[in-house]
Amino acid sequence: MEIIHVSAECYPVAKAGGLGDVVGALPKYQNQLGHTAKVVMPMYRTKFLYENQFEVVHKGAFGMSNYWLDYTIIKETTNYLGFDLYLVDIYNLLDREKIYGYDDDTERFTAFQIAIVDWLSKWEHRPDVIHVHDHHAALIPFMMQNCFAYRHLSSIPTVLTIHNAQYQGWISWDKSSLIPEWDKWKWGQLDWDKTINPLACGVRCASKVTTVSPGYLQELQYNANGLEKLFEYERGKCSGILNGIDEDVWDPATDPLIKTEFGIADAATGKQSNKKILCDEFSLDINKPLIVFIGRLVGEKAADLLPQAIMDAISNGEGSVNFLVLGSGDPAVESQLEQMNSHFMGYYNSQIGYNEKLSHQMYAGADFLLMPSRVEPCGLNQMYAMRYGTIPIVRRTGGLKDTVKDFGEDGGYGICFDNATVWDITYSVHRAVELYSQRKRVTEIINTIMQIDFSWENSAGKYIQVYEYIN
Ligand code: ADP
Ligand code: GLC
């Protein structure tokens, strides 16, 4: 099958979070199953662009509101990512360093989607499926069905994968002319609560919808940032497929980004050596358990609870634990976390920003990884942590509930709690400190979690079944 993935992110080209990891891995595993999966994304001005070779494969133009925009599609020539990578360049819109966060993101991602549909409309053959990811690409199924210039694409099946329904890409109706001329009778497919809602529109128009874990699909029916009714209504076309991890990138035995590589047999010494690097660099105590947080400092991740929870855990436990935080996001949380560096020196440290190398070192060197998320559609961090022998401490939600079982339960191996509150976090930290003192149990758990199969093979095949169903 020929599968075209459309996404705003794809690792290692451009990544802000787990979406990038998934789109950088899933196509590769689909190709290994004998299919032809390709990725199309914006041509941001990231390092990847300057370090690789590309060729121009198409040039075109389209109208958007009162502008006529030229676009160029370039293709990476070596296929070293394990799939064909196409980048869409649009002057003055996509040619930026960052992925998101600009005032004209609506115009940027709408133009990106129009360029793709316009390019597809020029193809001499028909791909088997267009697989769009999140709201940045979710208007594509609508455009293929209802924009007059592109309606001949309407017979191509489409799949929308929802990585996070908190973000829906809302566009006010006074910008509706951004979308190429469309059948006005179909306005109801675009609208949700008097706003153009690309994610809702994608759910309505895609042939099939998937979420990145089965647990999250259940949750969307009562917690979907306003779209609960829609998910209840469209339940029949939705399925939950758990993400995997890319073992070419995330394997402690071969990871070039960590100080000491290790496998299951030498996990104890390997992890200790990696912990030492972190403790030396961040002035932490190697003899105490090290709990880390890695991620976006936003409400969904309950990052706002971290400062108080960490202060309480250090004070109540009389300093029997170390914390290290890596993340960026809400400026107020960033500044609180940074200010704590000097107050809790020796017990706590933080690195504000995005740092891929340090994140790998932290998965490798930590004893525990904390994820108190309020919303977690899948969560990759806990899976990476387990692969690197780091015990997850998670709130039971979405994909976290699907992947982590409390060590108090039969066959359990993680620490789970129910509420995103400071108290639940500090209580779980207390359980972690106690567990840490039982070395034999910790060794058994590390042995278990490093062997859990989170590989992509299985899930990549499940997506193929979805495509086959609609073909
Ligand atoms: P989300 O996509 O919601 O942010 P995931 O758990 O799916 O959450 O994936 C997060 C990904 O982003 C992981 O690969 C994680 O290591 C990475 N990540 C998040 N924040 C940072 C950071 N500040 N520095 C480095 N990597 C980060
Ligand atoms: C989103 C979700 C995260 C998920 C990732 C990859 O960013 O927040 O839970 O793991 O997408 O699917």
Side-chain angles (χ1 to χ4, degrees), residues 15 17-18 21 295-296 301 326-327 353-355 363 379-381 384:
K15 161 177 166 184
D21 286 349
R296 295 180 291 119
K301 304 282 178 193
L326 166 64
Y354 189 92
N355 188 330
Y363 291 118
L380 297 170
N381 296 18
Y384 298 149

Side-chain angles (χ1 to χ4, degrees), residues 100 105-107 109-110 113 134-139 164-173 175 178-179 190 192 195-201 225 227:
Y100 316 113
D105 277 357
T106 296
E107 286 76 7
F109 288 105
T110 308
Q113 295 175 84
D134 272 353
H135 73 83
H136 317 97
L139 286 174
N164 198 333
Q166 293 298 108
Y167 305 94
Q168 299 168 9
W170 307 269
I171 304 175
S172 85
W173 269 107
K175 289 194 175 180
L178 290 176
I179 304 172
L190 289 168
W192 189 266
T195 302
I196 297 178
N197 186 316
L199 193 74
C201 176
N225 205 7
L227 299 184

Side-chain angles (χ1 to χ4, degrees), residues 18-19 22 163-164 212 243 296 300-301 376-380:
L19 169 65
V22 170
H163 296 259
N164 198 333
V212 288
N243 287 334
R296 295 180 291 119
E300 279 166 74
K301 304 282 178 193
E376 198 60 83
C378 177
L380 297 170

Side-chain angles (χ1 to χ4, degrees), residues 14 77 90-91 111 114 122 151 197 240 243-244 252 279 302 311 330 341 348 352 369 409 437 440 444 450:
T77 51
I90 303 177
Y91 172 72
I114 303 171
K122 308 286 187 300
R151 266 177 161 176
N197 186 316
N243 287 334
C279 290
M311 284 193 273
D330 180 347
N341 289 352
Y348 163 85
I352 301 303
L369 173 101
E409 294 167 38
S437 63
K440 186 159 170 284
E444 282 163 11
M450 286 185 72

Side-chain angles (χ1 to χ4, degrees), residues 185-204:
W185 286 98
K186 300 293 168 55
W187 72 273
Q189 297 191 345
L190 289 168
D191 185 77
W192 189 266
D193 209 8
K194 301 191 183 66
T195 302
I196 297 178
N197 186 316
L199 193 74
C201 176
V203 172
R204 288 179 177 128

Side-chain angles (χ1 to χ4, degrees), residues 345-399:
M345 211 185 285
Y347 301 105
Y348 163 85
N349 217 326
S350 65
Q351 180 82 38
I352 301 303
Y354 189 92
N355 188 330
E356 192 75 31
K357 186 169 191 294
L358 176 58
S359 75
H360 284 241
Q361 187 61 40
M362 286 168 71
Y363 291 118
D367 298 299
F368 299 91
L369 173 101
L370 175 62
M371 290 182 81
S373 311
R374 293 193 175 93
V375 179
E376 198 60 83
C378 177
L380 297 170
N381 296 18
Q382 80 281 12
M383 300 200 243
Y384 298 149
M386 289 191 265
R387 191 76 188 79
Y388 285 66
T390 297
I391 303 174
I393 306 175
V394 304
R395 174 163 173 257
R396 286 190 185 89
T397 184

